Amino acid sequence: MSLALSRCLWQVLSRQTASLSLLGENVRSPWFAPVMTLKTSVPLSAEPKKKKRVDPRRELIMRERLRKKLKKLEKVPPELIPIEDFITSTKCLDEARTRSAAKLSFEESEGRALLLKEWCRYKQEQHMAEVQAIESALEAQREALEELRIVSEELYQAALKPDPLLFPFTHEGPVHTPPQAKYEAPEGKYNDITKVYTQ
Amino acid sequence: MAAPCRRVVSRPVIQFLSSFSRTAVGKTGFRQFSSSSACRVTLQTQDVMERATSPYSLVAAVCLQRLPVISADYKPIEQQFRDMMLQMELEKSVLSDHELRLLEDAERLRRKLADDYDSDEEGSHDDQEIVLAQDLEDSWEQKLKTFQPAPRVRDDLDKNLNSVERCLADSLVLLAEQQVGGEKIWLLPQTQWQEGETLRQTAERALASLPDAFPPTAAGFKATFLGNAPCGVYKYKLPKAARTENSVGTKVFFFKAILSDSSPSTAPNKSIMWLKKSELERYLKPAYFMKVNRFILNL
């Protein structure tokens, strides 16, 4: 009995809602007035259940976007290390330091120009001699490798292999005076004031 | 017009002929290495037949160089240029701190010695007045004089051809007196190649086997060999009497090495000599010297 009653009520209600949806929102039946007003107001038009699921995701996405923007702003290019040789210190521009420029006589300046030209010629000859020496050494090596190849292929291949133990190769260059046999260098300490830059 | 045409026409003809002869006789790789020496023609036929065992016996030699220890003296033009550059740089420069101090001290001294000297005007310069810049310079000079550097040039050592410490400003090459074919001649130390070792190992053996080359305690000549490849070759044929089928001559391959550290306390022995490049000609045979001179750089 109660089941049939509820079924009838349900049918009535559905009929009402169908007629409502057909006719539009303006039709207000006395049964559904408060419910209708509830449904048409804007902030309450979204379903509350779906809002809960999307919100944390949206918040996370928003936070990540903000973080990325912050990182981009913080990415400053590293400061360039100044080359101290290229910076003229203001001490050198002091006027009190200028030397009295000595005037050169005509012969002196001529002599300097001629000496520069001679030096240029001398250096060129030196360079040409060096280049020739290197070329003849290379030619000698090429011939040697040719002859070795004629003699035996495996020795030739062994000769072509690079020597891993050769590098790093160090040799102390020529000094002004030869080293003394029993020389004790005087002890002393120094303060290293070189500036170290970190990027 | 006619000449280039002839050349163009003749080249493919020559190539055709050579390829024909190549395929006919069977010589494959040797045409490329052909040069103008006449003995090569006979050599090639032999090489083809004995590809694995060449008729030349192999010998490896080592060219040990002691690089200069002190800087060379200036040549006259270099000295002139150096003086001129120093002068020019001095003119273009500004006064340094030390020079400014010298000038100030001189100025102050001049004012002091002048008649109208008022010490109150100077202010408190008591601590600076004690040490003048000039005094500092004098003390530095005195210190320098107490240091005696070793002499750059020692004539007695320079004349001793056997010592490794002669002519410190030039690079020296080691020569040894060895027995070759019945006579003793001066040449770069060499030994015969043995089976199963590379030529560089032969060269190392040649260096190690120099007579009296090292004292019993130390390792003697510490040399760094520059790579596995030979830097030069010298081949010679034995005189006709000594020639056999298997040995027509010898090929000597040279390897470069740099003397890293020699114990100078070794008594110089007469069988080795250290020579500058200019002195090599006197002691080496002419043909040998011509080949060796090419790769010994005096840079």
Side-chain angles (χ1 to χ4, degrees):
Chain A
M1 200 330 245
S2 57
L3 197 64
L5 194 62
S6 59
R7 212 184 286 152
C8 288
L9 265 170
W10 178 245
Q11 280 174 4
V12 164
L13 282 167
S14 62
R15 248 182 264 136
Q16 290 285 346
T17 50
S19 62
L20 268 170
S21 59
L22 280 170
L23 292 172
E25 288 173 351
N26 291 325
V27 174
R28 287 164 198 256
S29 75
W31 292 96
F32 301 107
V35 180
M36 284 301 297
T37 50
L38 260 164
K39 279 190 182 170
T40 51
S41 59
V42 171
L44 302 170
S45 55
E47 288 173 345
K49 277 188 191 170
K50 282 188 190 169
K51 202 173 178 181
K52 278 181 200 166
R53 261 185 280 152
V54 171
D55 244 6
R57 244 195 292 158
R58 267 199 205 165
E59 276 185 36
L60 277 169
I61 290 168
M62 288 296 291
R63 259 187 243 155
E64 269 172 45
R65 273 195 219 142
L66 280 172
R67 243 180 269 150
K68 279 185 191 171
K69 279 184 192 166
L70 271 172
K71 271 189 196 171
K72 276 191 187 171
L73 285 174
E74 277 170 15
K75 260 191 198 175
V76 180
E79 250 183 51
L80 299 170
I81 300 176
I83 304 175
E84 293 186 27
D85 286 342
F86 291 173
I87 305 167
T88 337
S89 66
T90 43
K91 277 207 301 184
C92 302
L93 302 169
D94 197 2
E95 270 187 13
R97 287 181 183 257
T98 48
R99 268 182 221 274
S100 49
K103 286 228 168 130
L104 293 173
S105 64
F106 176 70
E107 286 93 12
E108 172 98 34
S109 55
E110 282 288 306
R112 281 191 184 176
L114 287 172
L115 185 59
L116 281 168
K117 286 188 199 282
E118 255 192 67
W119 178 253
C120 180
R121 238 175 279 138
Y122 169 73
K123 271 296 180 185
Q124 195 202 24
E125 279 167 15
Q126 218 182 40
H127 178 70
M128 288 305 181
E130 266 179 36
V131 164
Q132 265 194 344
I134 291 174
E135 269 187 30
S136 85
L138 280 176
E139 178 65 31
Q141 192 177 48
R142 195 187 59 82
E143 268 187 33
L145 284 171
E146 263 182 34
E147 295 281 336
L148 187 58
R149 192 160 208 190
I150 294 174
V151 166
S152 112
E153 189 65 34
E154 63 168 62
L155 281 179
Y156 176 73
Q157 292 299 330
L160 287 187
K161 283 195 198 133
D163 183 15
L165 302 172
L166 179 59
F167 294 112
F169 174 68
T170 51
H171 177 76
E172 298 289 318
V175 287
H176 188 65
T177 50
Q180 286 181 349
K182 295 167 197 171
Y183 178 68
E184 289 173 15
E187 278 191 21
K189 53 175 190 171
Y190 54 89
N191 296 325
D192 201 3
I193 52 168
T194 44
K195 290 188 192 164
V196 177
Y197 295 95
T198 46
Q199 279 194 322
Chain B
M1 207 355 222
C5 278
R6 212 186 309 131
R7 236 182 289 139
V8 165
V9 164
S10 56
R11 211 183 292 133
V13 173
I14 289 173
Q15 277 179 356
F16 169 72
L17 282 173
S18 66
S19 66
F20 178 76
S21 63
R22 208 185 296 150
T23 49
V25 180
K27 287 179 253 188
T28 46
F30 293 98
R31 284 286 175 193
Q32 302 157 22
F33 296 119
S34 62
S35 65
S36 53
S37 62
C39 57
R40 287 255 190 186
V41 180
T42 48
L43 193 60
Q44 274 167 18
T45 48
Q46 281 190 343
D47 274 336
V48 164
M49 293 189 303
E50 311 162 357
R51 189 70 189 264
T53 55
S54 154
Y56 281 101
S57 61
L58 287 183
V59 169
V62 64
C63 168
L64 184 64
Q65 273 191 311
R66 186 221 67 189
L67 298 177
V69 175
I70 57 174
S71 51
D73 284 327
Y74 289 111
K75 297 202 184 78
I77 180 167
E78 287 179 358
Q79 186 65 45
Q80 275 181 359
F81 186 73
R82 182 169 184 263
D83 294 334
M84 188 191 80
M85 285 309 290
L86 285 174
Q87 186 66 31
M88 278 172 67
E89 281 173 17
L90 187 68
E91 285 164 16
K92 287 188 185 172
S93 65
V94 288
L95 296 169
S96 65
D97 290 338
H98 182 74
E99 281 184 326
L100 276 180
R101 199 172 152 186
L102 276 170
L103 285 174
E104 275 174 22
D105 288 345
E107 181 70 27
R108 209 182 303 139
L109 210 62
R110 201 181 50 78
R111 264 184 284 155
K112 225 178 180 180
L113 294 172
D115 289 333
D116 51 347
Y117 173 65
D118 195 357
S119 65
D120 297 332
E121 277 180 11
E122 296 291 320
S124 59
H125 291 291
D126 289 319
D127 50 347
Q128 280 183 14
E129 272 184 51
I130 298 170
V131 183
L132 291 177
Q134 195 66 42
D135 296 339
L136 279 175
E137 276 191 9
D138 293 335
S139 69
W140 295 335
E141 285 248 20
Q142 286 301 313
K143 247 189 180 173
L144 182 61
K145 280 188 188 152
T146 56
F147 172 67
Q148 291 298 326
R152 273 162 64 91
V153 176
R154 284 179 294 188
D155 286 324
D156 54 339
L157 266 182
D158 280 356
K159 295 208 179 105
N160 179 16
L161 296 174
N162 312 68
S163 145
V164 78
E165 289 172 19
R166 66 182 291 255
C167 297
L168 292 171
D170 298 302
S171 60
L172 303 177
V173 179
L174 177 71
L175 280 195
E177 192 173 25
Q178 289 182 336
Q179 191 106 12
V180 172
E183 55 175 46
K184 275 200 152 193
I185 47 175
W186 286 102
L187 36 64
L188 300 175
Q190 65 186 39
T191 52
Q192 193 83 21
W193 173 72
Q194 284 165 0
E195 287 281 342
E197 62 174 8
T198 62
L199 277 173
R200 179 176 150 162
Q201 285 164 352
T202 319
E204 282 164 2
R205 217 163 32 92
L207 190 59
S209 67
L210 280 175
D212 312 320
F214 41 89
T217 48
F221 292 134
K222 282 205 191 85
T224 321
F225 276 80
L226 304 173
N228 288 324
C231 58
V233 70
Y234 173 67
K235 54 180 192 175
Y236 60 92
K237 289 179 178 289
L238 299 170
K240 291 230 160 122
R243 268 188 229 186
T244 61
E245 261 194 28
N246 276 342
S247 65
V248 172
T250 315
K251 281 191 189 174
V252 188
F253 288 96
F254 300 100
F255 286 82
K256 260 200 182 172
I258 291 183
L259 188 71
S260 34
D261 196 22
S262 77
S263 40
S265 57
T266 53
N269 70 79
K270 294 285 173 183
S271 60
I272 55 170
M273 273 207 299
W274 291 93
L275 295 181
K276 295 193 276 197
K277 186 171 167 164
S278 43
E279 294 166 353
L280 279 179
E281 194 165 2
R282 275 204 297 160
Y283 293 89
L284 295 177
K285 300 266 169 169
Y288 189 81
F289 169 72
M290 261 179 51
K291 290 282 183 176
V292 166
N293 203 27
R294 293 201 302 181
F295 60 79
I296 295 185
L297 302 171
N298 205 18
L299 297 171

